[in-house]
Amino acid sequence: MKLLSLATTLFIASLACNPSYAMDDVPDELPDRIVGNIGAAFYTSNLHIGTEGTQSLVLPYAFADYQRLFVRIDEVGVKTFKMGYGYFEVIGKVNLDTYKVKSSINGNSINRSDPIPLGLGTFQETPIGGFFINAYHDFGKSKGAMYEFLYFAEFEAYKKVMFYPQIGLERQSSQYANYYYGINPGESSLTGYAAYSAPATNNLLAGLVVEIPVVDDWYINIYGKRKWMGGGINNSPVMNRSFQDNIFMALAYRFK
């Protein structure tokens, strides 16, 4: 909860540092058509859990709005009432990672059910960048909670190539972290890993989105993100690195 309080404080401070007229830049009307990028992407990730290596797949890609509905890469949701530079939102997170723990000691595996994070949040598109503040409850087997505070800046480079650097913090509750990274006594006997109970953990992340115009309204989007896991997760015997990586490349058409 300390992380969420910090995120909220930082967000309120960012609003206070900007003139109130900037809120007029947020349109009062929601789009009556699809607005944004839709296409296909090649996703790859490595959670560095056990002996499992890189996971790759091809999936639809979207960062688009239609009326109150939105899709933002791995988030889907509904905008409710106007709030600041954006809306108060009901959000679901689409998790593309597979939490399969294959032991590096004896090769036995533990299969974790994928999380089903649903919650509340907001996307604030301010004059100094975009802020995401989200709180999720996992309706999957962990029954835990996850909180996010993310910031994106925007820079234009050569020939309309856009750069969007990202920094952020993620907090996983003890229930969430322990389900995906903990080892109970039975699983310890199966895999050879020492038993471990993961506490609530804060993770730091940084990333970069590069948007490259191709022709007409077609764009290539490249996104790389690294998440440095906090001690509560990094100390788990199933982790073979202190970080996790996600990368994708998408070809998308922009609807205006």
Side-chain angles (χ1 to χ4, degrees):
M1 293 304 293
K2 290 182 180 179
L3 177 67
L4 188 60
S5 297
L6 173 62
T8 304
T9 302
L10 289 173
F11 172 63
I12 292 171
S14 74
L15 295 185
C17 293
N18 289 282
S20 60
Y21 67 78
M23 291 191 182
D24 295 336
D25 296 336
V26 179
D28 292 326
E29 295 183 2
L30 294 160
D32 59 357
R33 63 193 184 284
I34 296 175
V35 176
N37 294 357
I38 296 178
F42 178 77
Y43 296 85
T44 183
S45 66
N46 196 329
L47 303 185
H48 298 295
I49 298 176
T51 63
E52 290 297 295
T54 301
Q55 310 161 28
S56 301
L57 63 164
V58 177
L59 288 173
Y61 165 83
F63 199 111
D65 294 81
Y66 174 70
Q67 296 183 358
R68 292 191 178 275
L69 305 177
F70 64 84
V71 180
R72 301 187 188 121
I73 305 176
D74 61 349
E75 292 182 352
V76 296
V78 179
K79 300 175 184 180
T80 61
F81 57 85
K82 190 91 169 285
M83 186 175 75
Y85 294 89
Y87 291 85
F88 186 76
E89 300 170 343
V90 179
I91 306 173
K93 196 171 186 69
V94 180
N95 197 294
L96 304 178
D97 300 321
T98 300
Y99 292 87
K100 179 181 180 181
V101 181
K102 186 176 182 180
S103 173
S104 59
I105 299 172
N106 57 26
N108 289 333
S109 296
I110 305 169
N111 292 316
R112 304 296 199 202
S113 298
D114 292 336
I116 307 174
L118 300 173
L120 303 172
T122 184
F123 168 43
Q124 298 288 317
E125 192 170 4
T126 79
I128 62 171
F131 293 83
F132 294 80
I133 302 175
N134 300 320
Y136 301 97
H137 175 78
D138 180 15
F139 286 85
K141 289 191 175 180
S142 85
K143 306 302 180 186
M146 181 172 64
Y147 308 95
E148 293 178 329
F149 173 69
L150 308 174
Y151 168 73
F152 277 92
E154 178 183 72
F155 301 98
E156 183 174 349
Y158 181 67
K159 290 188 176 181
K160 297 185 178 180
V161 175
M162 301 298 297
F163 288 86
Y164 301 91
Q166 172 196 20
I167 58 172
L169 289 170
E170 173 192 86
R171 180 174 178 82
Q172 297 182 8
S173 72
S174 57
Q175 285 177 287
Y176 192 101
N178 191 54
Y179 177 77
Y180 292 105
Y181 303 99
I183 295 289
N184 64 39
E187 293 167 340
S188 175
S189 299
L190 176 66
T191 61
Y193 288 126
Y196 182 75
S197 180
T201 305
N202 297 334
N203 307 312
L204 175 67
L205 61 90
L208 178 67
V209 180
V210 181
E211 181 184 83
I212 305 170
V214 179
V215 60
D216 296 330
D217 292 320
W218 289 91
Y219 294 82
I220 289 175
N221 291 93
I222 303 170
Y223 178 39
K225 180 183 73 175
R226 172 160 289 184
K227 184 192 300 184
W228 291 270
M229 313 307 289
I233 291 174
N234 193 34
N235 291 332
S236 170
V238 306
M239 296 294 295
N240 58 55
R241 293 287 189 278
S242 62
F243 56 85
Q244 298 179 342
D245 292 320
N246 294 86
I247 301 172
F248 77 74
M249 178 180 291
L251 176 63
Y253 179 82
R254 177 164 297 167
F255 292 85
K256 299 179 180 179

